[in-house]
Amino acid sequence: MARRLTPWRWAVLGLAALYFLVPLAASVVFTVDDPDGISFDAYTKILSTGGFVSSLLLSLELAVATIVVVLLLMVPAVVALRLGAPRLRPVVEVVCSLPLVVPPIAFVAGIVSVLKWGPDHLSRTPLFQTFVAIQNPSFPVVLVLAYVVMALPFVYRALDAGLRAIDVRTLVEAARSCGASWPQALVRAVLPNLRGALLNAAFLTLALVLGEFTVAQLLGYQPFAVWIYNVGSDQAQMSVAVSVLSLLVTWALLLALAGVGGGRNRTAPSRG
């Protein structure tokens, strides 16, 4: 059966490769096309273009902060959900899926309304400075909060899949019987067995933050995706070149993640 299906699998893979590689190849051709021949000026000028380094660093900082916050929020939640309150799982799934249902425009409109409401009603309270601090252009915490909400569906699915593959209750009970506290049981017994799920969640969050445009643009900040859009209005070739490079970097991260997971799976049987 597997041998008879092999040609169909190759056909599907071939169509998928054409679907993804043809637009990428066209983008590369556009970036090197020049009236005098082939030119790589669009790639060589990227680092010297104003705002490239600062916007990229801002996006990476936002990504790291978002990954830390969303994992600190979701890992204890999904573990507690599986151990103590399995009946609440449908409720948590619905809540974590809401960012996929709410349009980004409506989401941003809600954020803007809250940011406008705060100074008008809290100007004489210490919380006013909090509203000012989270909108600092050098590191907008409001974007981190927004990205945490947007990453919930992907992080929850990744962690839930990882927890399904292990016996969490047995691991926690074994750690507790050895004298570990609940935080120690989580860190020393559960997290090492969730390495693949944590990497998947971190990678999906990183890809989301690096490619997110709508929220940052409407709130008036300039991370990497917004910088690419602004550069594209004046230098189309460079904008496409940066997009191609960012896509290749994302693919490289995905391959590295797959390599880490594959290496872990290959070494696991030898330990037994």
Side-chain angles (χ1 to χ4, degrees), residues 44 57 74 81 84 102 107-108 149 261:
T44 57
L57 289 178
M74 290 303 299
L81 187 68
V102 179
F107 184 48
V108 177
V149 175

Side-chain angles (χ1 to χ4, degrees), residues 152-226:
L152 285 179
F154 312 105
V155 174
Y156 173 77
R157 293 298 178 184
L159 295 178
D160 184 64
L163 287 174
R164 286 173 177 267
I166 62 176
D167 190 349
V168 182
R169 187 175 300 276
T170 301
L171 290 174
V172 173
E173 290 178 354
R176 292 284 291 167
S177 64
C178 293
S181 61
W182 281 104
Q184 290 176 336
L186 178 64
V187 173
R188 298 184 179 182
V190 178
L191 292 187
N193 291 278
L194 287 178
R195 186 177 65 174
L198 294 174
L199 288 175
N200 289 333
F203 172 77
L204 292 173
T205 305
L206 175 65
L208 183 147
V209 175
L210 290 180
E212 200 286 319
F213 170 80
T214 305
V215 175
Q217 172 72 4
L218 294 180
L219 290 180
Y221 301 106
Q222 189 172 334
F224 193 53
V226 178

Side-chain angles (χ1 to χ4, degrees), residues 39-111:
S39 174
F40 293 94
D41 291 342
Y43 294 93
T44 57
K45 293 179 180 179
I46 290 177
L47 292 177
S48 60
T49 303
F52 170 75
V53 176
S54 59
S55 63
L56 180 58
L57 289 178
L58 176 59
S59 290
L60 292 177
E61 291 173 358
L62 292 173
V64 171
T66 303
I67 291 171
V68 172
V69 173
V70 75
L71 289 182
L72 288 176
L73 176 67
M74 290 303 299
V75 171
V78 293
V79 173
L81 187 68
R82 181 165 290 271
L83 293 178
R87 294 183 179 180
L88 294 178
R89 181 178 175 183
V91 178
V92 176
E93 287 184 352
V94 171
V95 173
C96 290
S97 300
L98 286 178
L100 298 177
V101 180
V102 179
I105 300 297
F107 184 48
V108 177
I111 295 176

